[in-house]
């Protein structure tokens, strides 16, 4: 059995991503979709496969040549894209001896290729196209005997799966020109009853032509595997790959979860009362910011979990699609719990438990932590404070929200002081960098930390300050002081160490305050997430109190600006 895999296309619907990576090398279950197509053909007895290439052909050729396939793989480069018919005609010397498959390289399906081949061989058709119902692509009309009548029936028709079997006699009907569509040939053959359609009803099929389709396909496959309802999934281990089981994807219910400040999309996938969470980081090509954040999320998450630090277990992922499947920790955040209970005593108890875990996160999390796992910066540095917190505050909040024409450089000397003080005498460990109530889950009475992808080496004081001045909860100042004392006691600090810790905490509290207001300004104005506007008054009040409580009178310009806002 022979086959042609069509892999020459430009992938225009996946732009701009396909400018750097050809669509056949986009991954599903951490393997290129082209690899899934090749493996599927080999499993069904195909021993000779031709792959046509054009766009970024060198990447496809490099991938295929480094794989040890148990079949003869030929690569056929097209200097000019020949369209589907021209590509088939160009491979005639490889395919002329017997019936052969032609398969698009950007689909994944559970179609039984053995059944398709047998169906074709039993007919007198020159071409058999596998069809199914998909309202987005329906256009092919069949008659009562299963012959295709036309290719422009619209919504009342059926969709082509991208899988077909051709008889070599089809070459006699091809036009004498290099570039043409196979569909125009089939359309001419329809009146002669030479083109059949095999309708598949209960199959999994996905065309990953657009970013949305690609992301959804990755989510469904990863979630199905994690939920254990795919006894024959596409496996990530080449030795274990076997075909998709029909109809399994219909047993998965996926709902989108409400987002927050992040650009990521979140989903819950459920089957038979079992659930997992899908975190969609967006398509992450290598050596991009998205890839760096995705890699940080995976590496840091696995590190923390291996240390026994309470974070969700990362079950599976695909780095190119940016999809991660995690343990489901429910829907109760610390913010939700505190507001529901509305009890100062229990609030204090919960926060003390969080601080215990936070100290553990800092101390044990730093053990064996690799700096190269981080994204943006490896440590909480002076440059980060100046650019991502102080300048962020001035540009996104002071200028953006308050419409004041005051430049970062007007207060740069004081920002330098703030940065130095926030780092001096720091209790250094692994910092979360966004330790607020919505990133703390309560599941079955246990505390878990989420959204840890920005973790880096830095002061425990910063995470503690983030927890205390969180505007989503807006803790009472008395509780904040009690919790600060609790943290000092848990760390068993001496008098001088306690003084240094408290001073560093106050300045970390200030930098966090600036970051919060910068973020709320950016999210509400630039990202148009107006819900964050409601938290600005409490965050601003917290900043004013923080400035007042700083030791000494070192920041007169910032104090004057803040009190005027």
């Amino acid at each position: 059995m022979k086959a042609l895999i069509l892999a020459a296309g430009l992938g225009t619907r996946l732009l701009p991503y396909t400018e750097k990576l050809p669509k056949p090398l986009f991954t599903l279950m951490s393997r290129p979709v082209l690899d899934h197509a090749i493996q599927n053909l080999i499993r069904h007895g195909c021993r000779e496969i031709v792959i046509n290439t054009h766009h970024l052909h060198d990447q496809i050729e490099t991938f295929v040549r480094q794989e040890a396939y148990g079949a003869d793989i030929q690569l056929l480069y097209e200097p000019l894209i020949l369209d589907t018919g021209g590509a088939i005609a160009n491979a005639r010397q490889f395919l002329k001896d017997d019936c052969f498959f032609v398969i698009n390289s950007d689909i994944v399906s559970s179609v039984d290729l053995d059944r398709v081949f047998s169906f074709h061989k039993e007919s007198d058709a020159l071409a058999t196209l596998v069809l199914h119902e998909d309202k987005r692509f329906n256009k092919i009309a069949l008659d009562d005997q299963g012959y295709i009548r036309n290719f422009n029936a619209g919504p009342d028709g059926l969709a082509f799966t991208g899988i077909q079997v051709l008889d070599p006699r089809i070459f006699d009907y091809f036009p004498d020109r290099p570039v043409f569509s196979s569909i125009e040939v089939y359309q001419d053959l329809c009146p002669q009853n030479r083109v059949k359609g095999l309708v598949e009803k209960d199959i999994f099929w996905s065309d990953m032509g657009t970013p949305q389709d690609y992301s959804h396909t990755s989510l469904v496959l990863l979630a199905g595997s994690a939920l254990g309802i795919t006894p024959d999934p596409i496996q990530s281990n080449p030795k274990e790959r076997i075909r998709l089981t029909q109809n399994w994807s219909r047993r998965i219910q996926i709902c989108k979860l409400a987002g927050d400040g992040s650009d990521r999309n979140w989903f819950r996938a459920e089957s038979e009362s079992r659930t997992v969470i899908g975190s969609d980081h967006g398509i992450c090509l290598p050596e991009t910011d998205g890839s760096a954040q995705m890699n940080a999320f995976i590496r840091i998450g696995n590190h923390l979990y291996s240390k026994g630090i309470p974070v969700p277990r990362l079950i599976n992922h695909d780095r190119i699609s940016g999809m991660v499947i995690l343990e489901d920790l429910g829907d109760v955040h610390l913010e939700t719990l505190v507001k529901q209970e509305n009890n100062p005593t229990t609030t204090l108890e919960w926060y003390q438990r969080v601080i215990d875990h936070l100290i553990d996160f800092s101390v044990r999390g730093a053990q064996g932590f690799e700096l190269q796992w981080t994204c943006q910066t490896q440590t909480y540095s002076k440059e980060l404070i100046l650019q991502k917190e102080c300048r962020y505050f001035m540009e996104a909040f002071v200028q953006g929200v308050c419409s004041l024409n005051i430049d970062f450089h007007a207060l740069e000397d004081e920002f330098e002081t703030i940065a130095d003080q926030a780092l001096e005498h720091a209790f250094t460990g692994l910092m979360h960098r966004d330790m607020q109530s919505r990133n703390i889950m309560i599941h079955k009475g246990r505390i878990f930390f989420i959204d840890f992808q920005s973790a880096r080496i830095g002061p425990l004081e910063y995470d503690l300050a983030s927890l205390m001045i969180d505007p989503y909860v807006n803790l009472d100042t008395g509780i904040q002081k009690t919790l600060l004392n609790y943290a000092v006691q848990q760390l068993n600090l001496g008098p001088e160490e306690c003084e240094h810790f408290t001073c560093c905490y106050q300045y970390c509290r200030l930098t966090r305050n600036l970051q919060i207001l910068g973020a709320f300004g950016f999210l509400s104005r630039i990202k148009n997430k107006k819900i964050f506007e409601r938290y600005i008054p409490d965050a601003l009040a917290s900043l004013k109190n923080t400035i007042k409580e700083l030791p000494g009178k070192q920041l007169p310009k910032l104090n004057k600006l803040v009190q005027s806002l």
Side-chain angles (χ1 to χ4, degrees):
M1 190 187 301
K2 299 181 180 182
L4 167 64
I5 300 177
L6 300 174
L10 299 175
T12 53
R13 290 186 296 158
L14 270 172
L15 285 171
Y17 307 106
T18 43
E19 290 177 349
K20 295 183 178 180
L21 186 72
K23 184 164 60 172
L25 296 188
F26 280 59
T27 55
L28 293 170
M29 298 290 284
S30 299
R31 294 294 293 174
V33 66
L34 175 62
D35 177 69
H36 292 306
I38 294 172
Q39 295 283 1
N40 194 31
L41 286 165
I42 292 174
R43 283 195 298 271
H44 286 86
C46 205
R47 290 295 172 262
E48 296 182 53
I49 299 172
V50 185
I51 304 170
N52 75 323
T53 65
H54 173 79
H55 178 59
L56 300 176
H57 63 95
D58 54 329
Q59 294 187 39
I60 296 175
E61 291 161 3
T62 298
F63 170 76
V64 172
R65 285 170 179 157
Q66 71 186 10
E67 295 295 309
Y69 291 116
D72 179 18
I73 310 292
Q74 299 287 334
L75 292 155
L76 196 57
Y77 172 61
E78 298 175 1
L80 172 71
I81 290 184
L82 302 177
D83 206 342
T84 52
I88 297 169
N90 193 45
R92 180 172 185 168
Q93 62 174 318
F94 301 100
L95 306 171
K96 63 184 179 181
D97 299 328
D98 200 355
C99 296
F100 57 91
F101 278 103
V102 178
I103 294 180
N104 293 353
S105 64
D106 61 349
I107 62 166
V108 58
S109 81
S110 61
V111 171
D112 185 339
L113 298 184
D114 289 335
R115 191 170 90 86
V116 175
F117 199 78
S118 296
F119 178 89
H120 175 80
K121 295 284 281 188
E122 292 169 3
S123 75
D124 61 349
L126 297 177
T128 297
L129 279 60
V130 180
L131 310 177
H132 75 132
E133 172 71 30
D134 191 321
K135 293 180 180 178
R136 299 170 301 165
F137 305 110
N138 286 350
K139 59 174 66 174
I140 299 175
L142 292 179
D143 64 16
D144 294 340
Q145 294 180 303
Y147 290 103
I148 293 178
R149 294 272 63 92
N150 65 71
F151 289 84
N152 55 9
D156 293 332
L158 292 164
F160 178 39
T161 62
I163 300 171
Q164 55 187 310
V165 181
L166 303 182
D167 189 289
R169 292 173 294 165
I170 195 78
F171 290 116
D172 297 335
Y173 296 86
F174 281 1
D176 186 19
R177 61 179 189 273
V179 181
F180 63 95
S181 168
S182 58
I183 298 301
E184 65 183 79
V185 176
Y186 303 158
Q187 185 66 66
D188 291 341
L189 289 170
C190 284
Q192 304 176 38
N193 290 343
R194 306 306 301 274
V195 183
K196 296 213 73 170
L198 171 58
V199 182
E200 294 278 37
K201 294 183 178 180
D202 294 321
I203 61 169
F204 172 76
W205 181 90
S206 182
D207 159 49
M208 42 171 277
T210 68
Q212 294 76 18
D213 289 333
Y214 173 49
S215 296
H216 179 75
T217 302
S218 183
L219 172 61
V220 170
L221 291 176
L222 288 169
S225 178
L227 289 168
I229 63 166
T230 56
D232 296 325
I234 294 177
Q235 298 287 343
S236 58
N237 185 337
K239 295 181 179 179
E240 298 174 359
R241 287 191 215 112
I242 45 183
R243 73 177 179 85
L244 280 164
T245 299
Q246 292 186 356
N247 207 29
W248 65 262
S249 64
R250 297 185 182 181
R251 296 166 58 193
I252 304 173
Q253 301 298 318
I254 295 177
C255 64
K256 188 173 182 179
L257 303 178
D260 205 345
S262 170
D263 288 333
R264 284 170 295 162
N265 291 315
W266 294 87
F267 302 89
R268 173 171 284 120
E270 180 177 3
S271 178
E272 301 173 356
S273 300
R274 297 182 59 194
T275 62
V276 292
I277 296 297
S279 175
D280 181 6
H281 292 72
I283 296 175
C284 298
L285 297 187
E287 300 179 359
T288 62
D289 290 342
S291 177
Q293 188 177 88
M294 168 81 169
N295 289 336
F297 186 78
I298 295 167
R299 291 165 179 166
I300 294 172
N302 285 333
H303 166 74
L304 295 172
Y305 188 83
S306 72
K307 289 286 185 181
I309 294 170
V311 296
R313 180 170 68 92
L314 275 61
I315 301 171
N316 210 340
H317 68 272
D318 183 275
R319 291 187 187 274
I320 300 295
S321 70
M323 197 68 65
V324 183
I325 303 299
L326 307 97
E327 171 187 7
D328 190 352
L329 299 177
D331 299 303
V332 180
H333 299 84
L334 180 62
E335 175 198 15
T336 310
L337 187 70
V338 168
K339 290 180 176 179
Q340 285 178 346
E341 293 184 348
N342 193 27
N343 184 318
T345 300
T346 56
T347 295
L348 185 64
E349 292 172 352
W350 276 112
Y351 272 82
Q352 287 174 338
R353 288 179 60 188
V354 171
I355 288 172
D356 290 339
H357 287 301
L358 178 54
I359 293 172
D360 193 44
F361 186 102
S362 175
V363 176
R364 286 204 299 130
Q367 297 170 1
F369 185 82
E370 300 287 343
L371 294 179
Q372 64 265 28
W373 294 341
T374 60
C375 61
Q376 296 180 338
T377 66
Q378 295 181 341
T379 64
Y380 184 70
S381 63
K382 182 175 182 178
E383 183 66 15
L384 183 150
I385 296 170
L386 292 175
Q387 298 302 321
K388 300 297 184 181
E389 297 183 331
C390 300
R391 185 186 290 274
Y392 195 29
F393 166 72
M394 294 299 295
E395 294 179 353
F397 185 74
V398 174
Q399 297 174 8
V401 175
C402 303
S403 302
L404 296 177
N405 189 23
I406 303 175
D407 187 74
F408 165 81
H409 297 290
L411 286 80
E412 189 170 6
D413 58 333
E414 293 191 0
F415 289 141
E416 293 262 357
T417 298
I418 292 170
D420 289 337
Q421 292 294 321
L423 295 172
E424 189 174 7
H425 305 306
F427 188 98
T428 302
L430 184 66
M431 63 181 290
H432 183 286
R433 181 89 203 294
D434 195 18
M435 186 60 72
Q436 40 89 358
S437 59
R438 292 183 177 178
N439 284 336
I440 301 169
M441 305 293 298
I442 311 298
H443 183 59
K444 297 182 179 179
R446 296 181 60 201
I447 292 166
F448 292 86
F449 298 135
I450 62 172
D451 267 16
F452 35 72
Q453 68 278 352
S454 294
R456 67 202 68 202
I457 298 301
L460 168 63
E461 292 92 334
Y462 185 93
D463 278 352
L464 187 61
S466 301
L467 182 68
M468 303 284 212
I469 64 171
D470 169 19
Y472 302 132
V473 172
N474 198 23
L475 282 176
D476 177 80
T477 54
I479 290 180
Q480 290 187 40
K481 291 178 180 178
T482 300
L483 290 173
L484 177 60
N485 290 333
Y486 178 81
V488 169
Q489 292 171 4
Q490 295 301 100
L491 291 168
N492 196 28
L493 300 178
E496 185 176 0
E497 291 175 315
C498 178
E499 183 179 346
H500 289 160
F501 184 90
T502 303
C503 181
C504 180
Y505 166 81
Q506 294 292 351
Y507 279 94
C508 283
R509 176 175 164 175
L510 176 55
T511 62
R512 177 62 177 181
N513 254 140
L514 298 177
Q515 189 276 335
I516 289 172
L517 285 166
F520 286 167
F522 175 78
L523 291 169
S524 60
R525 291 183 65 256
I526 307 302
K527 292 293 187 178
N528 201 34
K529 297 183 178 183
K530 300 300 183 181
I531 191 172
F532 290 99
E533 290 180 343
R534 72 172 67 171
Y535 302 107
I536 288 177
D538 286 338
L540 184 56
S542 176
L543 176 59
K544 291 180 178 182
N545 288 334
T546 298
I547 290 281
K548 287 180 181 179
E549 294 176 7
L550 282 177
K553 303 287 184 180
Q554 302 178 54
L555 308 170
K557 289 184 286 187
L558 180 61
N559 183 48
K560 181 179 179 180
L561 169 63
V562 169
Q563 301 307 329
S564 70
L565 297 177

